[in-house]
Amino acid sequence: MTADAVATADFALDALGALAVSSDPAGAAILLDGTETGHVTPHTFDVVAGDHLVELRLAGYADPLQIRQVTVPAGSAAAVEVTLSIAGGLAVVSTPAGAAISLDDAATGRVTPWTFNLPVGEHVVSVALDQHLVEPATITATVAVGDTVTAEFALTALSDTGTLEVTSLPAGAEVRLDGAATGSVTPCSFTLPAASVEVTVALGPMPPRPWSAP
């Protein structure tokens, strides 16, 4: 800036709104757009108008499996009210680690090993790792208050697996592997770790006929 000159300073100001966050019970830590705010419920924030992501965490209560999105209007207010569920622990582990975890048919964005605080009751767990066979395919875990249950998966690299084809005459026989029902009928095939497995087939009232694969 020089003498007798006019300088111009332009500012672009973001429109603000209010975001009120509350929970039952109160006292839950608030994460806003993925960042710890240092505040607990209930609390009202002055935020830039637009979409925001809200997470609440409270010891002994279920972690959010889905982040809540709320739209804050300019010059106005929006509210998020959450009823928290009493939780138990679910530890999901795999060998090797690093498998993506899904709970109740929804991706969690977490990988093994990871411990969740979940609402009590049954939850279906599955994991996936590229180029690996997962056993078992799913685990149904019962979560109880004040306890942590473990869901453990074994992963085998596809390079260490083989294919087992099972046929019968007549076709349509139920197939069991190592005594466990597969849900498949002949003809069918399985991708399995390289090892011995007992195959049993049964059709209607006929007695099962076991066969061991080398």
Side-chain angles (χ1 to χ4, degrees):
M1 180 174 178
T2 60
D4 299 325
V6 177
T8 300
D10 291 325
F11 295 91
L13 301 179
D14 293 321
L16 299 180
L19 174 59
V21 184
S22 61
S23 68
D24 181 16
I30 305 170
L31 287 78
L32 189 59
D33 298 324
T35 301
E36 294 275 5
T37 65
H39 296 286
V40 298
T41 55
H43 188 79
T44 299
F45 299 90
D46 290 324
V47 297
V48 174
D51 293 336
H52 294 276
L53 302 177
V54 178
E55 296 178 70
L56 301 182
R57 299 186 186 278
L58 182 62
Y61 289 82
D63 293 337
L65 295 181
Q66 294 183 341
I67 300 173
R68 293 172 180 261
Q69 179 172 301
V70 59
T71 300
V72 178
S76 188
V80 174
E81 300 176 0
V82 180
T83 299
L84 302 175
S85 301
I86 295 176
L90 172 61
V92 185
V93 298
S94 69
T95 305
I101 304 171
S102 292
L103 282 175
D104 302 323
D105 296 323
T108 65
R110 307 297 187 185
V111 298
T112 56
W114 191 267
T115 299
F116 299 89
N117 292 320
L118 298 177
V120 297
E122 289 190 346
H123 297 274
V124 179
V125 191
S126 62
V127 301
L129 183 62
D130 190 39
Q131 296 298 306
H132 281 74
L133 174 70
V134 179
E135 291 186 316
T138 62
I139 293 176
T140 299
T142 301
V143 174
V145 175
D147 191 18
T148 297
V149 64
T150 300
E152 188 168 358
F153 296 86
L155 279 62
T156 304
L158 290 181
S159 58
D160 296 326
T161 65
T163 300
L164 171 65
E165 295 184 351
V166 185
T167 61
S168 67
L169 189 63
E174 297 179 357
V175 180
R176 289 178 173 264
L177 299 181
D178 290 331
T182 64
S184 299
V185 297
T186 56
C188 57
S189 63
F190 304 89
T191 300
L192 302 170
S196 295
V197 58
E198 183 180 80
V199 183
T200 304
V201 297
L203 184 63
M206 297 171 59
R209 303 180 61 185
W211 177 78
S212 292

